[in-house]
Structure formats: C-alpha cells, structure tokens
Amino acid sequence: MTFWPAPHVRTPVHATVTLPGSKSITNRALILAALADRRSTLTGALRSRDTNLMIDALRAMGVGIEGDADTLTVTPPAEFTSAVVDCGLAGTIMRFLPSVAALATGDVAFDGDEQARVRPLDTILDALRSLGVDIDGATLPFVVHGTGALRGGPVTIDASGSSQFVSGLLLSAARFEQGVTVNHDGARLPSMPHIEMTVQMLRQADVQVEAPTDPRKAQTWTVAPGPIRAVDWEVEPDLSNATPFLAAAAVTGGTVTIPHWPRYTTQPGDVIREILVRMGAECRSFENVLTVHGPQRLAGIDIDLHDVGELTPTVAALAALADSPSRLRGIAHLRGHETDRLAALAAEINRLGGNVTETEDGLIITPAPLSGGQWHSYADHRMATAGAIIGLVVPGIEIEDIGTTAKTLPNFVGLWENMLSESEAGN
C-alpha cells in the first residue's frame, strides 16, 4: 500500500489547467462508432484506464481501432466475434457492452476487478434476457451467448440504481430487429444528464429516438431500428474531472481557469459552476474559457445532487472546508458506485477530525477543524481527488493509491503538481 503526500499550499492557487477529453463521451462514441455503417474518427478522445479497457474490449470483439493518442480511427467489423472482456471497474463497460455482445456470433465473457464483482448488473442482464438474449450469471463474471442478432422490443426496468442501465440499452438498440422501448418503473432516475447525453449522441448519428420531454413525469425512451450513421466525433474536455481543479481555487481563495469549456453541454460536470457560486465563489465564462475566483470564506450548501452524483466527493470536500454546515441530498444511489461513496466520505473526513453524518439519502457535513492523516481511496478515483482538495489547506494528508485516478484522468498527479508549480511561479 502506497501513500502520496498531498501537496499543501499557504497562498492562493492561481493557474490555468487544460484537461483531456470526457470519459463518458469517449466511451459512448467508441460504441456508436463500432456499430456504425462505416469508418469514423474520434478527436480529443480520453486515454485512461476506463477508455483503454473499452478499446481493448471492442478490439477483442473484432472492431478495428487505430491510434495511440487522442485521435482514433474506428472501423466497424463485418460481425462481432467471441471475446473475453476485462471491465476493470468501469460501469460504462459492464453496463454498455452486454448489448453489443448480444450481436456477436459466439460467446462474450465478462469479468473485472474483484471490487467490480459486487456491483449490481441484474437490471441490464435481466432486461437483455427479456429481449431474447441467453446470459449466464447475474454479476461479474458473466457470459453473453451471442447469436449475431437481437429481437429487441419493449422492456420495463427499474434503473433507479444507475442511469447506465438505460443508456446501455439505448446505445445499441438501433441494431436490434425491433429497436427498443425502455420504460423505467421505479424511484427517481439518477444522473439524468447522462441519459440526455446518450440521446443527443444517438441523434447525432441519425438514430430516431423518442425521449420524454419531462423525465420527472414520463420515463420511457424508444429507439427505432435502422442504421447508425458514422460520425467524426469531437470529444469535449471532461468537466467532472475539472471539478477538483476548480475546487482548488475555491478552497484557497485563488483563481483557476479551464480553457475549452463548452458553451452548451449535457455533461453533469457543468453544474459545478452553480455549486461554486452558491458556496460563495465567482464563475466567469468568456469565449469557452471558464474562470473561477475563490471567496474569502467558503459557505456551506444544502443541495440535491441526484442528477449529478459524480460531483459528490468534490462537493463533500468543499463542504468539509466551509464555514457553515452543508446537507447533500438525493444521492443514496452512490452506495452502489465504485465503492459506497457515502460511507467512504463520512469515514475519511471523520478520520481527519471532521463531523459527517450519513442520512438515508446523503450526508450532513458540519465544519470542524481537520488535521493531517491518511486518506483511503477505496480504489475510487473521485475519492482520491477529494482527498487532494482537502490536502491543499490541511497539511499532512497522505492519500492511499493516488494511481487509481488513472481510471478517468491518467495524469492527475502531474496536472495537480503543474497547477501548483504555475501558481508558485506567479506568486
């Protein structure tokens, strides 16, 4: 077990940080390109553990993918083949690829990290079974017995555990004989922006999608059968990965600028702007450049993060350093992510002297003086970056397995240290 001494600063952080592409967009684009009617190109693709595992999986199933950097050429196969797929800890692989595997001519075996074997998958696997797919297993490892085609049609699922269950059916559905109609029957859907991202990208590929205009009332999506047009995808920067760097400005009273911030986006990470403003920071956007100015005093926040649950570790770190209490609501589903993020955040902040209480659907965080100590990452990239935020203002924080950040941001340590080096040079 290795621990990384989190950098501590005594002056405000002032820097510009350029980030690589979005994992969510990259992995969706890879699947749509693999299913398309001809060759296509991805520009600005993220290269991280999750995206490299997706590339390896598609290659194993017969897809031609060329390129070693952030520009990739994808050639769809004449037919998908038998393969062995390593999911790692990537939900986008274990929940998106089974539908593609059903189109293979042969068996596709899925497995992943030991921690991934406890992640719930019965929703997507049972849905595919009801659509005519033969599958052995209910969690990792499992085997999809592909027949080269999938009947498709209507299916009702409870996707309240993850929006990925809906996206996992929609992405491949145009290649099903009858398309698909997905009806969500359950509690409020989490991470709706990710489903909106899926729908938008399908429509860019000329796929006919009917989506609810008000997902709070109607939660049914229909994808018509037909070709998926090849698109030369331009991948936006990963806005969720930007949040720790913007938080650095907020907790130190500094200024951090992120170039290439999209004016319009379906990425949930864009909501960080609203969150930071509500906590006292100033956010300015001009010509696709976002700049955050941190406040002298960081205020607590009462917020429903249901649609943007992936921002919870960053917001929890901010709340632990604020000067008034915070309540984070609507995030019970985070107990089924890479780790139980609610329990993990409470345990780690409290280990440093904090005051965090779990509620049924979130966290109550009451500011308390924090001291140095070990911060465990639980093999969860967002837990690791939350520790780095706290380490900026609390000396002596040591983060376990900072390398887990490679899941979505392969050079986090380098970017973090470069941000601080630029700041120090300018101060």
Side-chain angles (χ1 to χ4, degrees):
M1 185 180 298
T2 59
F3 286 85
W4 175 65
H8 170 65
V9 298
R10 299 183 182 278
T11 57
V13 171
H14 296 284
T16 297
V17 181
T18 301
L19 292 163
S22 161
K23 179 203 72 173
S24 298
I25 295 175
T26 297
N27 274 354
R28 283 166 172 77
L30 283 167
I31 288 178
L32 291 173
L35 294 165
D37 53 6
R38 58 179 174 81
R39 180 181 299 174
S40 55
T41 300
L42 278 67
T43 304
L46 174 68
R47 301 305 298 267
S48 68
R49 187 185 185 214
D50 278 14
T51 59
N52 288 337
L53 285 171
M54 179 68 82
I55 290 168
D56 290 344
L58 291 170
R59 281 175 173 160
M61 294 171 65
V63 181
I65 302 179
E66 299 176 357
D68 295 324
D70 62 357
T71 299
L72 301 171
T73 300
V74 182
T75 304
E79 61 180 29
F80 294 100
T81 61
S82 297
V84 175
V85 171
D86 178 4
C87 300
L89 270 173
T92 50
I93 299 178
M94 63 185 79
R95 292 166 178 162
F96 291 1
L97 273 186
S99 299
V100 181
L103 302 171
T105 53
D107 295 348
V108 180
F110 290 77
D111 203 352
D113 294 359
E114 182 177 354
Q115 199 165 340
R117 294 178 179 177
V118 301
R119 297 191 71 177
L121 296 175
D122 54 323
T123 300
I124 186 69
L125 299 183
D126 287 346
L128 289 171
R129 288 187 180 101
S130 74
L131 296 175
V133 185
D134 183 13
I135 302 173
D136 293 336
T139 58
L140 289 170
F142 64 87
V143 179
V144 177
H145 302 288
T147 60
L150 178 56
R151 181 183 70 242
V155 62
T156 297
I157 63 174
D158 180 355
S160 54
S162 173
S163 67
Q164 290 176 345
F165 295 129
V166 175
S167 290
L169 292 168
L170 300 183
L171 282 167
S172 303
R175 293 285 300 271
F176 303 170
E177 293 170 359
Q178 300 176 22
V180 78
T181 295
V182 179
N183 178 61
H184 165 63
D185 183 13
R188 180 182 168 198
L189 266 170
S191 303
M192 276 300 302
H194 279 124
I195 298 179
E196 293 166 3
M197 177 187 294
T198 298
V199 169
Q200 180 192 68
M201 293 180 70
L202 283 166
R203 287 173 173 164
Q204 282 181 258
D206 288 349
V207 175
Q208 295 182 10
V209 186
E210 294 181 15
T213 55
D214 186 352
R216 293 169 296 180
K217 297 179 180 179
Q219 302 192 62
T220 300
W221 293 260
T222 298
V223 174
I228 297 174
R229 181 178 64 86
V231 174
D232 287 333
W233 300 99
E234 294 185 6
V235 180
E236 299 172 357
D238 194 309
L239 306 190
S240 293
N241 278 338
T243 62
F245 299 92
L246 298 175
V251 300
T252 66
T255 302
V256 169
T257 296
I258 308 285
H260 313 301
W261 197 278
R263 185 174 181 184
Y264 302 107
T265 183
T266 54
Q267 289 192 64
D270 191 47
V271 177
I272 192 63
R273 296 190 293 169
E274 173 195 339
I275 293 170
L276 290 173
V277 168
R278 288 179 59 183
M279 297 186 79
E282 179 183 336
C283 295
R284 293 182 180 177
S285 183
F286 180 70
E287 294 185 348
N288 296 104
V289 175
L290 177 68
T291 300
V292 169
H293 301 276
Q296 290 186 343
R297 298 175 62 189
L298 195 64
I301 189 170
D302 185 338
I303 189 169
D304 186 334
L305 294 172
H306 188 78
D307 284 344
V308 292
E310 65 195 58
L311 304 188
T312 299
T314 293
V315 179
L318 289 166
L321 299 169
D323 65 0
S324 56
S326 296
R327 179 163 187 157
L328 315 185
R329 297 177 283 106
I331 44 178
H333 60 282
L334 295 189
R335 293 189 169 96
H337 277 228
E338 282 85 342
T339 186
D340 180 340
R341 281 184 176 161
L342 301 186
L345 285 164
E348 297 312 304
I349 294 173
N350 289 343
R351 188 195 310 277
L352 304 179
N355 183 358
V356 181
T357 303
E358 283 191 67
T359 65
E360 182 178 350
D361 74 335
L363 300 170
I364 295 175
I365 302 174
T366 302
L370 302 183
S371 58
Q374 293 183 342
W375 177 278
H376 296 277
S377 66
Y378 304 81
D380 185 332
H381 55 131
R382 301 204 192 281
M383 282 296 300
T385 56
I389 296 167
I390 293 175
L392 285 175
V393 295
V394 178
I397 302 294
E398 295 183 330
I399 300 174
E400 174 206 12
D401 188 19
I402 193 65
T404 194
T405 53
K407 184 178 190 293
T408 59
L409 189 55
N411 190 32
F412 170 76
V413 170
L415 288 169
W416 198 253
E417 292 178 346
N418 287 343
M419 173 184 72
L420 301 182
S421 295
E422 177 185 335
S423 178
E424 184 178 354
N427 283 330

